[in-house]
Amino acid sequence: METRSITAEVPTGPRMSEDPVELVPELAEVSAALFKATGNHSVPRATISLVQLRAGQIVGNTYLTVLHTGFLRKAGESEERITAVSSWQDAPYFTGAERAALALVEAVLQPSAHGERVSDELYAQVAEHYDPKALATLTIAIGQVNFFIAVALIAKPVPGRSFTEPWK
């Protein structure tokens, strides 16, 4: 496998030159349905964005990290909270429910040396903060970002561009 020098310039255009939505129009319907499902108000939108920002950080994707940081800023989140997502375990800025959600997304996205990624203990801790509908919504939010992780890692949309225009 060929590696890029750390001092090499990063390309400024997307790897995939055409918008996947234009190639597969059904993607817009899937995206809208996922956004609607996570927007049912059972989990605060800020919590969903914190989880999705953490997912982008875990997989090392600048597009997703910049996108979700922008969503959090537009929602009025403090720079301290946004910046501390990467080190949330020892940051004083998050509620117990947010910590549970962040732990859950980490468990889903990071391999476990101890077997099962989402242990019964972690599930029980998360369930202490979320009722069944909210827990299902949080699960869908993690699935939503995972769906777009594949697009972001493979197609490499341009970070910082509009959510609807990263392909230009």
Side-chain angles (χ1 to χ4, degrees):
M1 180 165 85
E2 186 177 324
T3 59
R4 185 175 53 85
S5 164
I6 62 170
T7 58
E9 295 289 321
V10 175
T12 58
R15 179 182 293 150
M16 185 179 283
S17 61
E18 295 180 66
D19 183 343
V21 173
E22 291 177 11
L23 298 170
V24 183
E26 297 84 359
L27 179 59
E29 294 172 38
V30 171
S31 179
L34 288 169
F35 190 79
K36 183 178 179 182
T38 61
N40 65 26
H41 305 292
S42 65
V43 177
R45 180 55 64 185
T47 301
I48 291 170
S49 289
L50 290 169
V51 163
Q52 293 180 336
L53 170 58
R54 185 66 188 124
Q57 293 170 339
I58 290 167
V59 300
N61 185 264
T62 302
Y63 175 76
L64 291 173
T65 302
V66 170
L67 177 71
H68 293 291
T69 297
F71 287 163
L72 286 161
R73 282 190 180 120
K74 286 179 186 173
E77 289 294 330
S78 71
E79 287 300 312
E80 289 84 5
R81 277 173 51 88
I82 294 168
T83 303
V85 167
S86 65
S87 58
W88 65 269
Q89 296 90 339
D90 69 350
Y93 309 115
F94 305 103
T95 67
E98 290 168 337
R99 290 175 177 285
L102 290 165
L104 187 60
V105 72
E106 285 191 1
V108 169
L109 288 175
Q110 295 176 331
S112 172
H114 309 294
E116 190 173 28
R117 290 184 187 205
V118 179
S119 67
D120 290 341
E121 179 183 0
L122 175 57
Y123 182 87
Q125 290 172 356
V126 174
E128 288 177 17
H129 296 280
Y130 297 98
D131 65 27
K133 181 177 180 176
L135 187 50
T137 301
L138 185 57
T139 301
I140 292 166
I142 292 169
Q144 176 186 30
V145 74
N146 275 305
F147 180 84
F148 288 104
I149 283 171
V151 174
L153 292 176
I154 295 167
K156 291 190 82 166
V158 178
R161 297 236 178 115
S162 164
F163 183 60
T164 58
E165 296 185 7
W167 309 103
K168 297 177 181 177

